[in-house]
Amino acid sequence: MATRARVRAPELIGKGGWLNTGDKDLSLAELRGRIVVLDFWTFCCINCLHVLDELRELEAKHRDTLVFIGVHSPKFVHEAEHQAVIDAVERYEVHHPVLDDPELATWKQYAVRAWPTLVVIDPEGYVVAQHAGEGHAHAIARLVEELETEHEAKGTLRRGDGPYVPPEPVATDLRFPGKAVVLPSGNFLVSDSTRHQLVELEADGETVVRRIGDGEFREPQGLALLPDGKVVVADTVNHALRTYDPESGAIEIVAGTGRQWWRGSPTSGPAREVDLSSPWDVAWWQGKVWIAMAGVHQVWTYDPEAGTVQVAAGTTNEGLVDGPAAEAWFAQPSGLAATDDRLWIADSETSALRWIDTDGVVHTAVGTGLFDFGHRDGAAEQALLQHPLGVTALPDGSVAVSDTYNHALRRYDPVSGEVMTLATDLREPSGAVLAGDDIVVVESARHRLTRLRLPEEAVRVEAVAHRTQRAATEVAPGTLRLDVVFQAPAGQKLDTRYGPSTRLLVSSTPPELLAAGEGAGTDLFRELELNPAVTEGVLHVSAMAASCDDDPANEYPACHVHQQDWGVPVRVTADGVTRLPLVLAGMDA
């Protein structure tokens, strides 16, 4: 066994208490003898949802020795509400204990800097590894097997049932529905995400006509009616697009391989041969299906006639940058609506409403970036949303925004440049469709469709503004050493057969924060020069490392990509740190 650093794991504390434990509080002391993996996550984060899925097999395989614990660490104000965490645990089928930590107490104890972060604790209660981002399932699987062998031999491994206690199931016709579309018949088709089906409802929005899909879908979201009468479905967790024919009932996969897209994979080509990444919504515009590709912070297109897909906008960097489509940044685009001259986008992680024009240029109507959000009406340049997931074009040229974490329906008028509130007291609205003079809202966390008359006057709400509660890292003025820590898993090495296997991209908000050091490179370290005239901002760091099995006899070694994006708020102070370590995989020495 390799020698490992031995750092005692801090106790788990969270003001919100425990879920999935049968109302029992857990402690690391009573988990002694088990391997524990802490998953620091928040339910807005698409990368966190990817990690939940990629670790399910490992969790099931080692259920008698391994205990997964989700530590829910919120970014948005809404995510600090206990009921919202309860809903998310059911919505995303989290089948292990979850600690609700609304004040980020455990996050701070473990010095976590990014969602998602995984921390491995050995049976004696010591932290032995930390991993940020996606793509670490193979490394953790190997480490778990090593720890089982080591601690079985030492007599410190305890096998048995884990502390997970499933909640009681609840009977409703819909369970966390995602999006809806009106069929030519006047009925509604709804993506019933948690039950992995589509549901057709009568025009009353309540009576179930039929349920569609038996194993084809996994957490479907967006729906769009095509000119031929079929409906294209964003089959989100299957990383695919499917079509459903309401006439024949036929379901067909039309895009995606079922595998998740990783950096370096093709970004265009035959639709059934190109990987996708968590498509969240779809819209028909300019003769193509446009895809909100939440998993890689981009917008793609699918051309049914040519049978091809390709990237249309976005770089995969997460943030808010306007301009030509190929240079723009998005952050989990999750809602689309088409008009003649605009494709509207609900860009959830930047709490923004954006659009692409017919010349392929990206604009922002509402929103300022990753860390500012709230509920404020008025002029668009100062208005605030909170993690919107849906947008709907209205007959007068304005758009309705499903302002999900504000539990509200908002309206933006591009003529006046004003934002107003149309309705409140909705519960996590995630989409809406027009039905005559009404707008029908998908109230995801109330498991229903809610019909509203489009009001002539806006609802008055008290304005609030928030910034994410993550504490800024205090850094010293001048030179800041950035180190991305990466240790290849046991039995693997960096893959340098075709050139450098690592990549580092650094930028900042505002751009003036960095006097030097921005841009791309292949080293996982960088000397950054901070601008003395700027005292605070956000460092955006994107890192990637590829490792392969270290066996010269294997002509085709298995390779894995590890990647993570960090947005690190920093404040320049005289006594701040001069080194910023970000752990991609391993332990910081």
Side-chain angles (χ1 to χ4, degrees), residues 27 41 111 190 200 216 240 253 359 427 520 538:
S27 69
W41 71 298
V190 185
E200 183 178 342
E216 289 94 345
I253 185 169
D359 294 324
R427 187 69 187 171
V538 179

Side-chain angles (χ1 to χ4, degrees), residues 59 392 407:
E59 186 175 5
T392 307
H407 310 300

Side-chain angles (χ1 to χ4, degrees), residues 172-246:
T172 53
D173 288 333
L174 300 174
R175 204 70 193 160
F176 298 104
K179 309 283 186 182
V181 68
V182 179
L183 298 172
S185 65
N187 287 354
F188 294 96
L189 188 66
V190 185
S191 55
D192 196 19
S193 300
T194 298
R195 295 216 176 98
H196 313 293
Q197 292 181 318
L198 308 181
V199 177
E200 183 178 342
L201 302 176
E202 291 186 2
D204 61 8
E206 298 179 1
T207 306
V208 175
V209 177
R210 62 179 58 86
R211 305 189 70 87
I212 299 134
D214 184 13
E216 289 94 345
F217 302 110
R218 285 189 65 202
E219 296 182 27
Q221 288 286 341
L223 307 167
L225 193 63
L226 300 180
D228 63 3
K230 294 180 181 178
V231 177
V232 63
V233 183
D235 192 5
T236 304
V237 175
N238 278 328
H239 309 295
L241 298 186
R242 297 180 191 270
T243 57
Y244 164 64
D245 186 342

Side-chain angles (χ1 to χ4, degrees), residues 491-550:
Q492 293 199 329
K493 64 178 181 179
L494 289 174
D495 177 23
T496 57
R497 291 171 299 163
Y498 308 108
S501 62
T502 56
R503 177 179 180 270
L504 180 64
L505 177 67
V506 180
S507 62
S508 66
T509 303
E512 296 77 21
L513 174 65
L514 287 178
E518 73 277 8
T522 57
D523 292 322
L524 292 181
F525 61 88
R526 189 80 56 86
E527 298 284 341
L528 307 179
E529 289 294 331
L530 301 176
N531 183 345
V534 181
T535 58
E536 62 179 338
V538 179
L539 292 175
H540 303 283
V541 180
S542 177
M544 183 275 290
S547 62
C548 294
D549 291 341
D550 187 10

